[in-house]
Amino acid sequence: MLKPEFTAGKTDWFVHDRFGLFIHWGIYATAARHEWVKNYEKITEEKYQKYFNHFDPDLYDPDAWAKAAKHAGMKYAVLTTKHHDGFCLWDSKLTDYKATNTPAGRDLLKPFVEAFRKQGIKIGFYHSLIDWHHPEFPVDFNHPQKDDEEFKKKETNRDIKRYAEYLHGQVRELMTEFGKTDILWFDFSYSREQNGMKGKGKEDWQSEKLLKMIRELMPDIIINNRLEITQDIHTPEQFQPREWVHVDGKPVVWEACQTLNGSWGYHRDSSGNFGDNYLVWKTSEMLIKMLIDTVSKGGNMILNVGPTARGQFEPKALERLRDIGEWMKLHSRSIYGATQSEFKPPQDCKFTQNGNRLYLHIFSWPFKHIHLDNMADKVEYAQLLNDGSEIKIQGHDLKGEHSSLSEKIDSKILTLELPIQKPDVVVPVIELFLK
Ligand code: GLC
């Protein structure tokens, strides 16, 4: 089995738990057309203020969020404390641009922490390095006013060092006011040059100094790789890596970040296009297969929900979390504690493995048999995971109906006898007990 190199953050529990919930929530939910709406529509600070003034999540019930996540089999949850628009969910002492000053009138982060802890779900904070609200955040090619020459001329004296002080101060608040936090998920560095403007990276964030502070306050915390200094987890997003993610030729701890519909923040209109994305809801079957595919390559999957401006998970999101939960109820032991197997799966199947248990996830149900190469003498017993029913291991000659011919099966192949009827689950799994 591939084993990633040791890193500072404690990733044992993370690699075991495999499946998390991402939550993107803020005043952009009031605009209801993606969390980058301020950038996509070049909205000025003044015009964006209406979303702050009307953010009133009167139906916010983090216990309901936590129960939905628990049912789905999610073991950790990462909530946006501040996104690129600079709006803060918690009662930060360093800014007025926070939930406490909106019609919400209260800190929205603490209730999230308490509700998810109550369900035994580990806590993660997403924190945007980018801040399009802060007066010292220099305009760059990602800024909503990047094409506003007048604005840029007026704002040439912005001091990134002042902004970095604010950034570090808020991270200190997050690391000292909410008890034990398990994951800190920064987003994102872009230190290249574009359209004649410099991006921002580890020097601008003072990432080295920031990491030192975090590790002093919360030594075991898992930190992602977007401070432009590799830490504990690598985070490919909105695609499925072809294989186990490697960095400099070595396997790393990695987490695929996926959305339900292409947008991280709540997006109401299904026809909506944004950036180079489009809004298409993935089916529950696709999401379950993505989770299996990720674990079969030694990775984690964090799946995002963008709550509405009233504080609810929308029905289409709840439906998918419920479906995933139904499947996980019967099959979670092929996910938790499992990882990539050295065995090669047959066509239309994925293997995950946990010690001497090998899990065969069957993406398309074949007629009567599945043949596993080079496994003839390796399996002691096989069963369907959904109902624990035996799956017979076939001898080495396969008899067809009305035919005297019997196809001699290569003796190295293990042939499993399947019921004609596909089990009534989204993705059937056969649990193989290895000798
Ligand atoms: C990208 C998006 C950002 C989102 C993040 C989640 O960085 O720009 O809006 O929060 O992905 O991984």
Side-chain angles (χ1 to χ4, degrees):
M1 302 287 185
L2 280 178
K3 269 253 171 261
E5 292 212 332
F6 169 76
T7 56
K10 290 275 162 291
T11 50
D12 313 47
W13 70 265
F14 182 80
V15 165
H16 174 275
D17 288 354
R18 289 298 181 213
F19 187 32
L21 172 65
F22 220 162
I23 305 172
H24 278 67
W25 195 40
I27 55 176
Y28 44 77
T30 315
R33 47 192 196 276
H34 199 270
E35 74 285 355
W36 273 64
V37 60
K38 192 175 183 185
N39 168 288
Y40 293 148
E41 298 179 13
K42 301 188 163 101
I43 303 174
T44 61
E45 204 48 50
E46 299 65 34
K47 290 225 165 58
Y48 198 74
Q49 187 59 25
K50 64 186 166 194
Y51 300 126
F52 182 94
N53 298 339
H54 293 281
F55 183 61
D56 181 9
D58 58 321
L59 300 179
Y60 175 44
D61 174 4
D63 284 312
W65 292 8
K67 284 175 190 146
K70 179 141 178 126
H71 176 271
M74 293 161 153
K75 296 287 189 179
Y76 59 96
V78 179
L79 172 62
T80 50
T81 57
K82 176 191 87 166
H83 205 266
H84 308 336
D85 61 2
F87 174 74
C88 302
L89 282 185
W90 82 104
D91 188 16
S92 169
K93 292 168 197 55
L94 303 177
T95 180
D96 294 334
Y97 204 51
K98 57 188 176 180
T100 355
N101 296 336
T102 68
R106 64 196 189 287
D107 179 308
L108 299 174
L109 189 58
K110 209 152 262 176
F112 156 81
V113 171
E114 285 156 5
F116 278 77
R117 267 210 196 110
K118 216 175 354 182
Q119 295 298 332
I121 295 175
K122 287 194 165 55
I123 300 298
F125 292 155
Y126 164 110
H127 192 66
S128 175
L129 300 165
I130 298 168
D131 192 316
W132 297 326
H133 174 81
H134 197 277
E136 296 295 352
F137 187 85
V139 179
D140 59 27
F141 56 79
N142 275 329
H143 196 282
Q145 275 71 57
K146 62 180 180 296
D147 300 325
D148 183 337
E149 295 313 323
E150 209 183 304
F151 180 84
K152 286 193 292 188
K153 218 182 286 145
K154 200 160 53 66
E155 297 296 332
T156 43
N157 299 330
R158 293 184 165 204
D159 179 355
I160 187 68
K161 288 190 178 50
R162 290 258 182 86
Y163 171 68
E165 247 173 72
Y166 173 75
L167 170 67
H168 290 217
Q170 285 205 317
V171 171
R172 178 174 288 278
E173 287 184 330
L174 293 172
M175 291 293 99
T176 51
E177 296 173 11
F178 296 90
K180 184 172 182 322
T181 308
D182 303 288
I183 300 172
L184 195 45
W185 217 100
F186 288 108
D187 190 38
F188 63 95
S189 297
Y190 47 104
S191 51
R192 67 183 185 282
E193 185 112 357
Q194 188 174 308
N195 308 341
M197 279 188 259
K198 217 173 70 54
K200 290 183 177 65
K202 58 188 174 195
E203 307 310 328
D204 302 288
W205 319 127
Q206 298 181 33
S207 299
E208 201 85 53
K209 186 176 163 206
L210 184 57
L211 286 166
K212 189 168 170 304
M213 176 188 79
I214 297 163
R215 293 281 178 217
E216 278 161 9
L217 293 168
M218 207 121 356
D220 294 350
I221 197 165
I222 293 171
I223 303 174
N224 73 349
N225 60 327
R226 298 192 180 184
L227 271 168
E228 215 176 34
I229 298 177
T230 294
Q231 287 299 300
D232 307 306
I233 59 173
H234 292 256
T235 52
E237 64 174 64
Q238 303 255 44
F239 76 100
Q240 283 298 111
R242 194 173 57 80
E243 59 188 9
W244 191 309
V245 174
H246 281 59
V247 172
D248 303 332
K250 298 197 182 90
V252 293
V253 178
W254 66 278
E255 175 189 66
C257 323
Q258 304 293 5
T259 60
L260 293 171
N261 60 10
S263 176
W264 301 97
Y266 177 64
H267 199 303
R268 180 192 65 209
D269 302 334
S270 54
S271 58
N273 272 18
F274 42 89
D276 54 0
N277 276 306
Y278 41 84
L279 205 73
V280 177
W281 282 82
K282 299 172 183 76
T283 62
S284 302
E285 177 178 344
M286 176 178 274
L287 294 163
I288 290 167
K289 288 180 174 175
M290 286 164 66
L291 174 59
I292 294 164
D293 178 62
T294 303
V295 177
S296 78
K297 294 163 182 168
N300 278 36
M301 183 164 99
I302 187 167
L303 183 58
N304 180 76
V305 175
T308 68
R310 296 202 61 189
Q312 288 195 306
F313 287 1
E314 66 188 296
K316 281 190 279 200
L318 288 172
E319 176 199 334
R320 283 154 179 80
L321 293 184
R322 258 196 311 277
D323 291 348
I324 295 169
E326 286 314 302
W327 185 84
M328 284 291 274
K329 201 156 53 203
L330 298 173
H331 302 93
S332 64
R333 67 176 189 243
S334 73
I335 299 293
Y336 300 144
T339 188
Q340 176 172 286
S341 169
E342 257 114 48
F343 294 106
K344 289 283 154 278
Q347 181 186 351
D348 297 334
C349 296
K350 298 274 175 189
F351 272 145
T352 61
Q353 186 167 347
N354 184 352
N356 73 340
R357 301 283 179 95
L358 182 62
Y359 297 96
L360 177 67
H361 300 80
I362 304 167
F363 280 21
S364 81
W365 191 254
F367 176 54
K368 285 177 84 171
H369 300 106
I370 278 194
H371 306 288
L372 305 181
D373 288 350
N374 300 319
M375 294 203 67
D377 53 350
K378 295 193 169 59
V379 177
E380 177 238 317
Y381 184 71
Q383 63 180 8
L384 271 172
L385 200 42
N386 58 291
D387 62 1
S389 60
E390 181 185 15
I391 289 288
K392 284 221 181 88
I393 295 172
Q394 168 91 29
H396 292 309
D397 52 3
L398 203 53
K399 292 234 178 343
E401 295 298 325
H402 311 301
S403 141
S404 57
L405 286 181
S406 75
E407 180 202 353
K408 256 294 167 238
I409 293 280
D410 171 334
S411 61
K412 293 199 293 302
I413 289 177
L414 180 106
T415 296
L416 300 171
E417 259 180 44
L418 303 181
I420 303 292
Q421 183 81 34
K422 176 191 168 196
D424 184 18
V425 290
V426 174
V427 177
V429 181
I430 293 176
E431 184 173 42
L432 300 164
F433 292 71
L434 299 177
K435 282 177 183 160

